[in-house]
Amino acid sequence: MSALPEPGRGPGPGPTAAKMPTPAAQWLPALRQRHKDGKAELVARFRHTPRPNAASAARLLRALARHVDSTLAALWEQQRMAERAPGTALVAVGGFGRGELFPSSDVDLLVLLPDRPAAGPRVRGGSPPGGDTPAALPDDSGSREAVAGFVTACWDIGLECGSSVRTVAECLAESARDVTVQTSLLEARLVCGTRRLFGELQHALAQAMDARAFFTAKTLEMRQRHVKYEGTPYALEPNCKESPGGLRDLQVVIWVARAAGLGRTWTELAAKGLITPFEASQLVKHEGTLRLIRARLHAVAERREDRLVFDLQTAVAESFGLRPTKGQRPSEALMHRYYWAAKAVTQLNQILMLNIEERIAGSEKAPMRPLTIRFFDRGGALEVAHDDVYTRDPHAILETFLVFVQTPGLQGLSARTLRALYNARTVMDAAFRRDPVNHRLFMQILRQPQGQTHALRLMNQTSVLGRYLWVFRRIVGRMQHDLFHVYTVDQHILMVVRNVRRFFIPEHAHEYPFCSQLAAQWDKPWILYLAAIFHDVAKGRGGDHSELGAAEVRRFNRDHGVEGEDARLVEFLVRHHLTMSYIAQKEDLADPDVVLNFARLVATPRRLTALYLLTVADIRGTSPKVWNAWKGKLLEDLYRLTLRALGGAQPDPAAEIEARKVEARQLLALHSALPGTEEPLWKTLEVSYFARHDAAEIAWHARSLWRHVQTKVPVVRARPSSVGEGLQVLVYSPDQPDLFARICGYFDNAGFSIQDAKIHTTRAGFALDTFQVSSTLAEEGSEVDYRSLISLVETQAAAALAATGPLPEPRRGRVSRRVRSFPVIPRVSLVPDERAQRWLLTVSASDRSGLLYAVARVLAAHHINLQLAKVTTLGERVEDTFLVDGPALQRPKAQLRIESEILDAVE
């Protein structure tokens, strides 16, 4: 490879040679290799830093920017731009203009041209050679050719640059139209070329700057960006640059402060009194953390990737030297670190943006309405009377949130209040947490008639909640990689509190009418709020978080004066917050013993109601995808059955079945069925059939099958589900060992998910199975017209069941990136009932299409009879429960073989 010629040395003597650049073939490969090797060396040195920290990341960003500066200067010199495009300047803008460059970031450049009367439009974008043809430059063919050649050469040497070519006048016009361009130019930095022209640009931009309009535009832009990135710093795969609490939120503060002439760095902002020295140090610390994470992310991904995606979280965590610990993966430790920084950035961004707005608008002296001796109402924001109010009287910290919930019209906390709380962190120590006055204030907040959700969220945002409840602090920013929680533990807890609160608000009664009906009769909502706060507070410690949480809330009750039955109820709710969901979704509610055992556990209707409300709120608070109407029906059925048992009504299966038959006959009559229509079918059915179906299903089955009781071909009927979205599908066919597997295979291939299955075999040897199914398209958010699918399902399912031959191999369905990154270890449990006549098979695994069919094939191969199937999908994890019997289950070796084959099938 030829050596890089000295800058300015042409190929030969003469006037022409002096004005033309050295042929690119002689120097461009060498410059490209030098740039590539230099960048690779810097990144490799950073990647192999033994203990990566913010300082190492800052050195890398500055070094990469200087390296690109050097490459551009050499290229500018080789292209003889000073001679071929006289008076031009090469300007770094955007992030490159700040003098920092991440390993895979674009290089944003502006080629600044002197104003000429014939100036044309700018060259848009940063297209590589072969892209859009640049628009005309000023009428100077030499300059035009030189700039186009320079931009092409940038791409040729491996710089991914976003370039524009403008005059000063065009820069002003474009920045007036587009705040993004104005922001990019705000950080402009001269790389090489004419300093005078660059000075003209800076002067013109400063003269044209309207700080107030710029602040408004950047605030609106930030809000739109936050909405785009889920409106929370706690996203599962946050963008460490653009998400709320990311680097962009810090850059926005500097931009608006710089536009208003308040400073360009955190040190300058502190000197102007906009932030305190402590806040400046915190900003430097958290900015350093985010820069470090983003730099490691680029280095690990080896591409421009600003999202902490599941596929990369573990690799990035390991690049920090993080290792698995008890109850925590390396990726969870990394995300915990990220969320803490993002939360702090969100808080500081809010304080500074409010402060800057007051400075720009001159509203610092606006009149305020006094609320108490410590607090004022400043235009809907709660304002402290003195900056040191919290250090003088720490009780005022919790009083802030009590006043907030007690004062109608308050929308939030002012910048002054937020700052005072932020700087009062050291006041919230062990003595603060033990103070009886603070105990009373906290309980007063929970006992207010309204406002708890907003108050608790503000307390978490300002770090007051975690510093007052030290046990809560441990779970702030703790991610749960269990494939169905989509929030951090603290956000999930606050979501559950919100859900409970909504049960008591009449405006939300339409969402869950039964819950709202029960809540209207509940006298102490604060008990449920308290249980919601503590139900998951012990997550991530190892061990049973329900038991650990019960111990924590017991200590809280003792300290806060919660006594008697109230204290016992809160502890009971925390200890058993998973029990009702487990029984409803995994056990046979038609079994009287199941209901009686649960009734003995809850003991009273009051406890039952409280547990039901907390359970619904908890499931709804895990993920928008986890809750559905079918789960709601199962929980409501368990509630009503248990309430009846608690009322002294001992289960009487015979009376219950007779009542259902009477109601079913009435429904048949309403559909103009002749008397006795039901008899041909009913006389073939066992008691267990009537115990597991309600009257409406029994009537539907009789109406659908009265002509087909002795059919020789499968009969399939479908109708829209009476519980939420989906279809209820009836399958009636001569029984065969692989029938359930064939049904599962059909639903899988047709794009349906089975939510529930009730399996029966008549005395005449016919299978009578009922399935609750939903379309996978609906689960992905698409609209599905289930009525239009009824005829298709009836025809195709019947044909699929009539097919003969061996069962096809299950297809290996695709799994999501989240499942690939955080797979669930498959577990299979096979446990006999008390009489060892029926067995409870439980399968837990990562969700994928074809999973249920794979399990069904194993059962069919061993001639296992299925009596009941409950399919529970929790986000991207499934926990399926089957009630089975069969001769093979009586042999220990056969049991082990079945469990082993099911494990192989679901892995």
Side-chain angles (χ1 to χ4, degrees):
M1 183 176 292
S2 59
L4 182 66
E6 292 181 41
R9 296 294 179 100
T16 304
K19 291 184 178 293
M20 293 300 293
T22 305
Q26 296 184 20
W27 56 264
L28 193 145
L31 183 58
R32 179 170 57 235
Q33 192 63 42
R34 189 178 78 179
H35 173 73
K36 179 181 178 181
D37 292 345
K39 178 180 177 180
E41 182 183 350
L42 291 171
V43 175
R45 190 184 308 157
F46 172 70
R47 287 198 66 172
H48 295 99
T49 303
R51 293 185 178 180
N53 54 32
S56 65
R59 286 194 298 270
L60 172 70
L61 304 189
R62 290 192 299 267
L64 285 172
R66 287 195 301 268
H67 180 61
V68 173
D69 280 353
S70 172
T71 300
L72 288 170
L75 185 60
W76 188 268
E77 185 71 16
Q78 286 293 338
Q79 293 284 78
R80 299 187 184 278
M81 296 298 293
E83 301 173 27
R84 301 174 62 218
T88 58
L90 180 63
V91 180
V93 292
F96 184 40
R98 288 192 297 274
E100 59 181 43
L101 200 61
F102 285 86
S104 298
S105 289
D106 290 343
V107 177
D108 294 324
L109 296 173
L110 165 66
V111 180
L112 190 61
L113 301 173
D115 285 313
R116 291 185 175 88
R122 69 182 179 91
V123 178
R124 295 186 179 272
S127 301
D132 295 338
T133 303
L137 295 170
D139 191 16
D140 184 331
S141 59
S143 294
R144 180 166 61 250
E145 181 183 351
V147 171
F150 177 79
V151 172
T152 299
C154 286
W155 283 94
D156 286 343
I157 63 173
L159 289 175
E160 295 186 8
C161 53
S163 61
S164 58
V165 183
R166 300 190 185 99
T167 64
V168 172
E170 289 167 348
C171 287
L172 290 175
E174 193 69 22
S175 66
R177 288 191 296 267
D178 189 342
V179 71
T180 304
V181 174
Q182 186 179 21
T183 305
S184 179
L185 292 173
L186 191 65
E187 298 186 302
R189 174 176 60 86
L190 181 65
V191 177
C192 51
T194 307
R195 187 171 297 279
R196 178 191 56 77
L197 184 60
F198 177 67
E200 289 179 13
L201 174 66
Q202 287 187 304
H203 179 73
L205 290 171
Q207 292 292 317
M209 176 60 72
D210 181 341
R212 192 164 189 170
F214 183 76
F215 178 89
T216 301
K218 297 310 292 184
T219 301
L220 291 174
E221 186 182 70
M222 183 172 68
R223 289 175 184 168
Q224 291 173 347
R225 174 170 52 81
H226 285 180
V227 170
K228 178 181 178 181
Y229 289 95
E230 303 181 50
T232 175
Y234 300 110
L236 289 175
E237 297 180 300
N239 186 306
C240 57
K241 177 184 176 184
E242 303 285 357
S243 287
L247 284 166
R248 185 67 84 206
D249 278 4
L250 293 173
Q251 292 162 2
V252 168
V253 173
I254 291 294
W255 290 334
V256 296
R258 187 170 181 168
L262 298 173
R264 300 178 174 215
T265 65
W266 305 126
T267 304
E268 290 181 15
L269 265 59
K272 291 285 182 71
L274 204 66
I275 57 177
T276 66
F278 173 69
E279 290 165 349
S281 68
Q282 291 295 297
L283 285 161
V284 170
K285 171 186 172 183
H286 296 303
E287 184 177 40
T289 298
L290 294 177
R291 279 175 170 169
L292 176 60
I293 290 174
R294 187 183 179 207
R296 302 298 287 192
L297 180 57
H298 278 210
V300 168
E302 298 182 343
R303 65 178 187 274
R304 178 165 184 174
E305 178 59 87
D306 293 328
R307 298 169 305 148
L308 279 163
V309 293
F310 299 130
D311 311 56
L312 294 173
Q313 286 178 13
T314 299
V316 174
E318 291 173 349
S319 80
F320 277 92
L322 298 173
R323 295 292 177 262
T325 60
K326 184 179 180 181
Q328 191 174 54
R329 296 182 174 98
S331 58
E332 291 173 329
L334 169 72
M335 297 311 295
H336 193 238
R337 182 181 300 185
Y338 170 82
Y339 291 135
W340 270 91
K343 179 187 175 186
V345 167
T346 301
Q347 190 175 347
L348 289 164
N349 169 274
Q350 186 181 14
I351 293 171
L352 290 171
M353 292 297 282
L354 289 171
N355 263 355
I356 294 170
E357 183 179 27
E358 289 179 358
R359 288 283 186 97
I360 293 174
S363 60
E364 296 167 294
K365 304 298 183 182
M368 298 182 291
R369 177 171 66 96
L371 298 175
T372 70
I373 59 172
R374 294 192 180 101
F375 300 103
F376 293 90
D377 176 356
R378 177 194 281 273
L382 186 63
E383 173 101 348
V384 290
H386 307 284
D387 290 332
D388 61 350
V389 64
Y390 298 130
T391 54
R392 286 194 298 178
D393 185 0
H395 298 145
I397 294 174
L398 291 183
E399 186 186 349
T400 301
F401 302 97
L402 181 59
V403 172
F404 178 81
V405 298
Q406 289 177 334
T407 307
L410 289 178
Q411 302 300 314
L413 307 180
S414 71
R416 191 179 184 188
T417 304
L418 289 168
R419 162 166 288 141
L421 286 169
Y422 190 83
N423 291 311
R425 293 179 172 202
T426 56
V427 174
M428 293 178 272
D429 55 12
F432 176 85
R433 290 187 283 276
R434 290 194 300 265
D435 193 322
V437 175
N438 289 332
H439 294 169
R440 288 195 295 272
L441 286 168
F442 187 75
M443 291 305 299
Q444 280 184 270
I445 293 170
L446 292 183
R447 286 176 168 135
Q448 292 301 304
Q450 59 189 16
Q452 289 85 356
T453 300
H454 202 167
L456 288 171
R457 281 180 173 167
L458 278 177
M459 290 174 74
N460 191 38
Q461 290 168 13
T462 55
S463 299
V464 171
L465 187 57
R467 289 182 176 271
Y468 177 69
L469 295 177
W470 201 251
V471 65
F472 191 89
R473 181 177 172 83
R474 297 182 185 179
I475 49 88
V476 171
R478 180 176 292 280
M479 178 47 68
Q480 307 173 81
H481 288 309
D482 53 16
L483 299 187
F484 67 97
H485 282 90
V486 299
Y487 309 107
T488 55
V489 181
D490 58 318
Q491 294 300 302
H492 164 67
I493 285 174
L494 296 179
M495 188 71 71
V496 175
V497 173
R498 184 210 71 160
N499 292 342
V500 171
R501 172 71 191 131
R502 286 166 80 122
F503 295 152
F504 293 90
I505 301 175
E507 291 80 2
H508 295 286
H510 64 283
E511 296 176 349
Y512 298 94
F514 187 56
C515 291
S516 295
Q517 177 186 337
L518 295 176
Q521 303 166 30
W522 187 264
D523 58 337
K524 294 180 179 179
W526 63 267
I527 290 178
L528 299 177
Y529 304 151
L530 191 55
I533 291 171
F534 277 88
H535 81 285
D536 273 355
V537 83
K539 280 280 185 76
R541 296 192 202 173
D544 186 342
H545 77 277
S546 301
E547 288 294 335
L548 294 172
E552 293 289 354
V553 82
R554 189 186 313 127
R555 280 191 286 271
F556 176 93
N557 289 340
R558 183 185 63 233
D559 295 340
H560 290 73
V562 180
E563 300 174 337
E565 180 54 33
D566 290 344
R568 289 189 289 272
L569 176 55
V570 174
E571 186 177 340
F572 168 83
L573 292 175
V574 174
R575 176 174 284 111
H576 294 289
H577 71 272
L578 298 175
T579 303
M580 191 170 191
S581 173
Y582 178 89
I583 292 173
Q585 297 183 66
K586 292 183 175 295
E587 298 197 19
D588 184 3
L589 301 188
D591 186 343
D593 290 339
V594 170
V595 176
L596 282 175
N597 290 336
F598 182 60
R600 292 189 191 101
L601 175 70
V602 296
T604 68
R606 181 173 176 79
R607 285 191 172 192
L608 173 65
T609 298
L611 186 58
Y612 172 74
L613 292 174
L614 179 62
T615 302
V616 174
D618 186 20
I619 297 176
R620 286 181 59 209
T622 56
S623 163
K625 296 181 180 180
V626 169
W627 178 264
N628 57 39
W630 183 249
K631 287 186 176 74
K633 182 180 185 302
L634 292 174
L635 285 169
E636 187 174 334
D637 287 348
L638 178 57
Y639 176 87
R640 294 183 184 280
L641 290 169
T642 308
L643 187 65
R644 188 184 307 168
L646 290 171
Q650 293 298 317
D652 186 347
E656 180 70 26
I657 289 171
E658 194 56 40
R660 289 183 188 180
K661 287 182 176 180
V662 170
E663 185 179 352
R665 289 189 176 99
Q666 292 171 348
L667 292 171
L668 285 167
L670 289 175
H671 285 86
S672 303
L674 295 173
T677 296
E678 73 283 0
E679 288 304 323
L681 177 65
W682 284 11
K683 66 184 181 182
T684 69
L685 298 173
E686 302 284 354
V687 171
S688 60
Y689 166 85
F690 295 97
R692 288 201 183 121
H693 290 278
D694 60 31
E697 290 172 335
I698 294 170
W700 177 49
H701 293 170
R703 195 170 67 251
S704 301
L705 299 176
W706 69 280
R707 293 181 177 177
H708 306 286
V709 174
Q710 297 300 322
T711 182
K712 298 187 182 302
V713 295
V715 175
V716 178
R717 297 290 182 265
R719 66 175 182 175
S721 174
S722 59
V723 183
E725 294 293 317
L727 289 175
Q728 197 172 32
V729 180
L730 164 65
V731 175
Y732 185 76
S733 170
D735 199 15
Q736 60 190 65
D738 62 359
L739 183 64
F740 179 70
R742 290 190 184 277
I743 295 171
C744 291
Y746 163 72
F747 283 133
D748 180 46
N749 289 324
F752 287 97
S753 293
I754 299 174
Q755 295 179 333
D756 186 75
K758 296 175 182 176
I759 313 298
H760 298 282
T761 305
T762 70
R763 295 191 188 102
F766 284 81
L768 197 167
D769 304 340
T770 311
F771 298 87
Q772 184 80 24
V773 301
S774 63
S775 171
T776 53
L777 292 176
E779 294 169 5
E780 295 168 0
S782 302
E783 289 289 330
V784 177
D785 180 7
Y786 283 103
R787 287 190 178 276
S788 66
L789 296 176
I790 290 176
S791 177
L792 185 69
V793 168
E794 291 179 345
T795 303
Q796 290 184 345
L801 297 180
T804 57
L807 290 169
E809 288 293 322
R811 58 192 178 97
R812 287 290 178 179
R814 290 173 52 195
V815 297
S816 69
R817 289 185 301 106
R818 192 179 180 195
V819 168
R820 287 200 306 271
S821 301
F822 309 107
V824 173
I825 297 175
R827 301 186 189 281
V828 175
S829 170
L830 194 56
V831 181
D833 63 11
E834 294 178 355
R835 295 181 294 276
Q837 293 178 349
R838 300 185 303 177
W839 296 69
L840 189 67
L841 170 64
T842 304
V843 178
S844 176
S846 302
D847 192 19
R848 63 172 170 82
S849 59
L851 186 71
L852 187 59
Y853 174 54
V855 174
R857 286 181 82 251
V858 175
L859 298 180
H862 291 273
H863 302 282
I864 302 298
N865 302 315
L866 187 66
Q867 298 185 18
L868 183 69
K870 289 200 172 185
V871 181
T872 305
T873 304
L874 303 170
E876 296 182 81
R877 191 180 90 202
V878 294
E879 293 191 358
D880 298 345
T881 304
F882 308 91
L883 198 62
V884 297
D885 64 17
L889 297 176
Q890 305 298 328
R891 300 191 299 274
K893 287 186 178 180
Q895 293 174 26
L896 290 174
R897 188 162 57 251
I898 292 167
E899 289 180 283
S900 177
E901 290 180 15
I902 292 176
L903 275 174
D904 290 340
V906 301
E907 279 185 342

